[in-house]
Amino acid sequence: MTRRISLTQYLIEQQRQHGHIPQELRLLIEVVARACKRIAISVNKGALGEVLGTAGSENVQGEVQKKLDIIANEVLIEANEWGGHLAAMASEEMEGIYVVPNRFPQGEYLLMFDPLDGSSNIDVNVSIGTIFSVLKKPEGSAGVCEADFLQPGNQQAAAGYCVYGPQTTLVLTVGDGVVMFTLDREQGSFVLTEDDVKIPEDTKEFAINMSNMRHWDAPMKRYIDECLEGSTGVRGKDFNMRWIASMVADVHRILTRGGVFMYPWDKREPNKAGKLRLMYEANPMAFLVEQAGGAATNARQRILDLQPSQLHERVSVVLGSKNEVEQVTRYHLEAGK
């Protein structure tokens, strides 16, 4: 690109030209981006910043927290609580919601985030990231409570993620396509590097944790078996497999070159619909993927149409190139009949 457009300039231009980014939402996205820059600095320092290793505590899901999980969570809260555009926040690392303190003005938006996705990869220097989702507080509600957050993903005002890898990249949608910004470390600002991101409808690449294959349902096994048969099988093409174990990194690859990502239900925890969180991971990623021309389901229905019943609800996830997602979903629906 010849014209280097900063995130702030891009958002202001979108606000002026199309009017679909209200000023409060623009400010909120800018603050989240600034928080991601701070997190990127801590991630980049690694062992030099004494931020590696576990914190000796567990989050609400009973998962061991890394030091950077807690640091990232605090950075996002401190950056966003005082700006006046938020009513409350919810995080994968906190049991309940965080209402903006009375000493600060309250806004009309709700922010949800997974402060550091893929934290099992922190200590081995593999790409990790921050995922965020923005909802509007329901009208007519004086205060704010947990029920205000329980909106289906199709109500999101904005969603995105920041991936901390060889480059720090911010990926964003406000419901009008997907854009990517790369952090210019010398300038300290996010610069637009890709506009109107599109996911190819067809792919020869899938991402799944194959070690769990014995625990999957029959339709998922059928799909993967057919992929593994290659060009001599029913699919008639050779598939490649990728699995980074960091949803941000896997989805970023799909947005960049296509593919399908799957984290299905399995028999180890039969009472849970899946492992990934609907509010902090599945909804924002589904919004991004659909805005880029892909599809996202829980292997049976569209993720963005699911009605959440609790803050930390889990869900199965199949997302990416449209034709592959539809194939996986069709196999599950046929098996259900």
Side-chain angles (χ1 to χ4, degrees):
M1 286 197 162
T2 51
R3 195 163 71 106
R4 290 170 66 81
I5 301 172
S6 69
L7 173 65
T8 300
Q9 186 180 346
Y10 172 83
L11 293 172
I12 289 173
E13 286 180 2
Q14 291 294 307
Q15 185 184 327
R16 285 176 184 158
Q17 291 167 16
H18 307 292
H20 65 246
I21 304 183
Q23 185 177 347
E24 296 292 305
L25 180 58
R26 172 175 68 81
L27 292 169
L28 171 54
I29 292 169
E30 287 184 60
V31 173
V32 170
R34 279 203 299 274
C36 288
K37 280 193 279 186
R38 284 183 58 194
I39 295 168
I41 290 167
S42 292
V43 170
N44 292 150
K45 281 182 179 175
L48 297 176
E50 298 183 350
V51 294
L52 301 185
T54 61
S57 57
E58 292 184 349
N59 65 13
V60 62
Q61 284 90 20
E63 298 165 337
V64 174
Q65 289 178 307
K66 301 278 188 173
K67 290 177 186 175
L68 269 172
D69 282 322
I70 296 171
I71 291 167
N73 196 65
E74 289 173 353
V75 165
L76 281 156
I77 289 172
E78 288 171 8
N80 284 283
E81 66 179 356
W82 55 271
H85 36 257
L86 275 182
M89 292 175 259
S91 163
E92 186 178 312
E93 300 300 324
M94 303 188 296
E95 186 170 357
I97 65 171
Y98 179 91
V99 179
V100 169
N102 289 333
R103 64 183 182 275
F104 301 122
Q106 269 204 8
E108 57 186 281
Y109 288 101
L110 306 172
L111 176 66
M112 287 166 293
F113 48 82
D114 179 353
L116 213 58
D117 178 73
S119 55
S120 62
N121 284 320
I122 292 170
D123 296 347
V124 293
N125 202 13
V126 170
S127 295
I128 51 181
T130 298
I131 310 172
F132 64 92
S133 167
V134 182
L135 293 165
K136 279 200 86 169
K137 190 176 81 164
E139 288 182 15
S141 124
V144 60
C145 63
E146 193 170 300
D148 294 333
F149 283 83
L150 303 181
Q151 304 177 39
N154 55 35
Q155 297 297 305
Q156 291 174 101
Y161 64 80
C162 196
V163 59
Y164 313 116
Q167 305 96 40
T168 295
T169 306
L170 177 71
V171 182
L172 174 71
T173 184
V174 290
D176 186 26
V178 176
V179 285
M180 290 187 182
F181 300 85
T182 303
L183 180 62
D184 184 330
R185 296 179 195 275
E186 283 75 29
Q187 300 294 324
S189 60
F190 281 104
V191 177
L192 182 67
T193 45
E194 193 163 351
D195 201 355
D196 196 26
V197 175
K198 290 295 177 200
I199 298 172
E201 289 190 354
D202 290 298
T203 186
K204 294 181 180 179
E205 200 162 72
F206 67 90
I208 196 166
N209 187 346
M210 288 292 288
S211 67
N212 295 329
M213 190 170 190
R214 67 192 183 282
H215 304 298
W216 298 338
D217 226 346
M220 185 56 67
K221 285 182 182 172
R222 175 189 172 186
Y223 174 76
I224 295 299
D225 283 343
E226 290 179 357
C227 290
L228 297 178
E229 286 170 4
S231 56
T232 58
V234 292
R235 299 305 308 280
K237 55 184 177 180
D238 291 319
F239 280 81
N240 200 4
M241 194 193 96
R242 290 285 181 267
W243 181 250
I244 305 173
S246 164
M247 190 189 191
V248 163
D250 277 311
V251 171
H252 191 67
R253 184 187 60 254
I254 287 167
L255 282 167
T256 305
R257 70 182 191 206
V260 59
F261 169 90
M262 293 160 287
Y263 212 129
W265 172 91
D266 71 46
K267 294 169 187 166
R268 290 171 301 168
E269 295 182 291
N271 298 326
K272 291 179 180 171
K275 187 175 188 324
L276 298 175
R277 284 76 181 177
L278 175 61
M279 308 292 283
Y280 315 108
E281 295 168 316
N283 271 342
M285 291 308 202
F287 191 18
L288 286 162
V289 165
E290 283 198 7
Q291 285 294 314
T297 74
N298 66 350
R300 286 173 177 82
Q301 64 187 107
R302 183 184 180 221
I303 283 174
L304 294 183
D305 290 338
L306 298 175
Q307 174 60 52
S309 59
Q310 54 186 0
L311 208 54
H312 298 288
E313 187 168 335
R314 296 177 190 246
V315 68
S316 297
V317 173
V318 180
L319 58 75
S321 293
K322 199 171 186 178
N323 291 338
E324 295 304 315
V325 173
E326 287 176 354
Q327 183 103 339
V328 178
T329 306
R330 185 166 66 251
Y331 285 176
H332 281 79
L333 291 175
E334 286 172 1
K337 291 177 185 175

